Amino acid sequence: MDSIAEQLIPFAVRAPSGHNTQPWQFSVNQDSIRIFPDLTRRLPVVDPDDHALYISLGCALENLLVAAAHQGLAASVESFPADEPEPCLRIQLSEGADEDTDALFRAIPERQSNRGTYDGRAIDASDLTAMLEANGCDSVQIRPFRVGDPDIEPLIDFVREANIVQFSDPAFVAELVSWIRFSRREVSTRQDGLAAAALGFPAVPRWLGRWIMTRLVKPEGEADRQEKAIRQSSLLLLFIAREHDQRHWVDVGRSFERVVLTATSLGIAHAHVNMPCEVEPIRRRLAAHLGLNAGEQPLLLIRLGYARKRLPASPRRPVDRVLRRTSCNGDSVHCSIQRKRSHAVFD
Ligand SMILES: Cc1cc2nc3c(=O)[nH]c(=O)nc-3n(C[C@H](O)[C@H](O)[C@H](O)COP(=O)(O)O)c2cc1C
């Protein structure tokens, strides 16, 4: 039987990741879990400095911590400890959670990036406060922009401009196409990437999908589509890191995941409109527009609102594909928390 620590991994892998690359690997050793970046799953065009990859690791970490707390486990986290042979996040588990994460835990399988239409209803001030207070990282600032308020207009302009830059770049489109799973067969064999259904498209053969993406999808059309989607939403949230390094990127992921799990628990949908954070010169202009301090980086932009319907869930690779089965010293995996407990933990 899997150890309790191993039983947390399926919740970690439900985390969002850029293009659904799932750029993580895990190992379990005694009562500690390590999360490693999988650099074979980088996105060199859209994410040349890997910040989105490390944000994705932070999302997986946060899901894991929520699931651990739900099982009554406390966790201490070290980001990239110097005594590890390779860079990783190290989580030490012990008995005695100090937080009730029931609502967040239940939201893990419910959460999805919903790129569909929202109905424009305003989000209550109390729900907005709950989402902002879910951010547990001092190193991450979240700025809300309500749709309809004048201060959102420059952000919409930045989204439009970045969208046009990206879709005018053949390398961006080629990388995107390589991660779209156009047919059901591609979805079931690869179990990663952007499934056509999750993007709101019908399933088509790859040759046709590539043809549509390279010949029919136009930069201006994409910008119009994203602008319309924002105007049908209720709110934008911008996540700003205090500094631009791997630790802070992981913190952005943790903060983002807490916020969207909270949103999900309140029936509020979200989708990324990240483009101005991805195009570096535009990100710099956005930072200047917002009057950010030197070093502060706007790294994630999402829209939130009430979706008209749920979309099919995006696939995930099975845990076996991302779990390194032996401990660092080669011993078979063994978990003392499991020995102390006699009952099954995940009902
Ligand atoms: C760091 C990061 C960046 C992302 N950027 C985008 C984006 O630019 N556009 C988009 O539509 N989705 C974006 N996503 C959402 C992912 O595509 C999504 O999480 C993934 O496909 C898995 O789907 P799920 O969130 O429904 O589980 C991003 C997610 C993360 C974590």
Side-chain angles (χ1 to χ4, degrees), residues 8 14 26 75 93 97 137-138 144 180 196 203 210 233 250 263 268 330:
L8 301 176
R14 284 309 317 162
F26 300 84
L93 299 170
C137 295
D138 292 342
I180 297 180
R210 185 186 293 119
S233 305
V250 169
I268 298 168

Side-chain angles (χ1 to χ4, degrees), residues 62-114:
E62 199 59 30
N63 272 11
L64 196 140
L65 298 179
V66 166
H70 182 70
Q71 295 310 317
L73 300 173
S76 72
V77 178
E78 291 167 280
S79 294
F80 311 109
D83 59 347
E84 288 286 337
E86 59 182 301
C88 68
L89 307 172
R90 186 165 69 200
I91 303 107
Q92 184 67 42
L93 299 170
S94 56
E95 293 282 355
D98 52 5
E99 192 190 1
D100 174 2
T101 58
D102 193 44
L104 297 179
F105 178 72
R106 277 187 280 110
I108 290 176
E110 291 294 310
R111 186 211 58 79
Q112 64 171 192
S113 305
N114 191 321

Side-chain angles (χ1 to χ4, degrees), residues 16-18 20 52 111-113 115 194 272 274 278 314 316:
S17 58
N20 197 20
R111 186 211 58 79
Q112 64 171 192
S113 305
R115 301 177 183 86
L194 300 161
H272 288 255
N274 238 5
E278 292 168 346
S314 288
R316 292 295 187 277

